[in-house]
Amino acid sequence: MDDDWHDGWPPVRGDYRVVDRRRGVAVVTLASSLDIRGAAIVGTCKTENLGVEKIVANLISNPNIRYLIVCGAESRGHLPGNAIVSLHRNGIDSSGKIIGAAGAIPFIQNLQREAVDRFRRQIAVVDMIGVEDVAEIERVVEHYSGIAEPFPEPPFEVIKKTHRSRVQRGDIDVSLGLDVYLDVDAWAVFLPT
């Protein structure tokens, strides 16, 4: 498999630290700040919508990652750990709602259904929600790193949605040309109406 994709990975910015792109395990520490070693990527997630979408996009764009350890304390009201476990187990309904998720707004709205399907096929979720013992988590990381085999398909590139509407110039991150703007936080490209 061509390894040139490593240079641009991960494609979506967020609250994470890349450790080793070639490792087979990712760790999300939810609302806890934990210094976990030995994984491909380690970061927090405090929302059950955009936060979960960013995790999915980053993981499926790296076929080396086969396991996601979900640990640490849940974010109150949002429950992103529950959303990740539910997304993997149940998928999404026709409106993008994560089936069985208990958070306030568990919707996948900026990823195509194929991205969710790829996440469910490529990644095995290890539910350690509530665990904050770094040594225990690192033992689990090491265990799964020892058995992870790369996913046999190329990296999945997430296609961001485009919107046709007017935006205020102060609300954009990048101008891409005449009346075409990028809002990174909304994962949206705005086109002229």
Side-chain angles (χ1 to χ4, degrees):
M1 183 180 302
D2 182 9
D3 280 343
D4 290 342
W5 62 268
H6 277 114
D7 295 336
W9 188 83
V12 181
R13 69 182 181 184
D15 184 18
Y16 56 75
R17 176 176 50 89
V18 175
V19 182
D20 183 348
R21 292 169 172 83
R22 298 181 190 277
R23 299 294 299 233
V25 178
V27 178
V28 59
T29 63
L30 302 175
S32 301
S33 294
L34 305 173
D35 186 21
I36 308 296
R37 293 172 300 198
I41 187 171
V42 176
T44 62
C45 180
K46 297 175 181 144
T47 61
E48 76 283 23
N49 50 14
L50 290 177
V52 172
E53 289 176 351
K54 289 178 178 187
I55 288 170
V56 169
N58 283 337
L59 297 189
I60 64 176
S61 65
N62 182 341
N64 291 324
I65 299 176
R66 299 305 304 277
Y67 296 93
L68 173 61
I69 297 171
V70 183
C71 59
E74 282 279 29
S75 178
R76 290 187 185 160
H78 289 286
L79 307 174
N82 171 268
I84 293 167
V85 171
S86 296
L87 178 66
H88 187 265
R89 183 177 297 138
N90 308 316
I92 57 175
D93 68 16
S94 60
S95 70
K97 184 177 189 310
I98 299 171
I99 299 168
I105 44 174
F107 286 88
I108 301 297
Q109 295 180 321
N110 297 297
L111 297 176
Q112 61 269 49
R113 183 169 295 278
E114 295 81 13
V116 172
D117 293 341
R118 169 70 178 258
F119 172 74
R120 295 179 71 203
R121 288 185 301 116
Q122 176 181 331
I123 305 297
V125 173
V126 180
D127 184 351
M128 295 181 71
I129 297 171
V131 176
E132 293 182 301
D133 182 319
V134 171
E136 181 180 350
I137 296 164
E138 287 178 344
R139 279 191 296 276
V140 174
V141 167
E142 193 58 36
H143 168 75
Y144 285 106
S145 292
I147 62 174
E149 293 288 331
F151 194 65
E153 295 176 21
F156 189 101
E157 293 184 39
V158 172
I159 300 168
K160 296 179 181 180
K161 291 187 174 184
T162 60
H163 302 277
R164 293 195 178 276
S165 66
R166 285 269 179 227
V167 294
Q168 300 293 325
R169 293 217 185 253
D171 294 338
I172 62 163
D173 292 317
V174 178
S175 174
L176 301 172
L178 185 62
D179 291 328
V180 179
Y181 306 102
L182 172 67
D183 180 341
V184 176
D185 292 325
W187 285 40
V189 175
F190 293 90
L191 302 173
T193 52

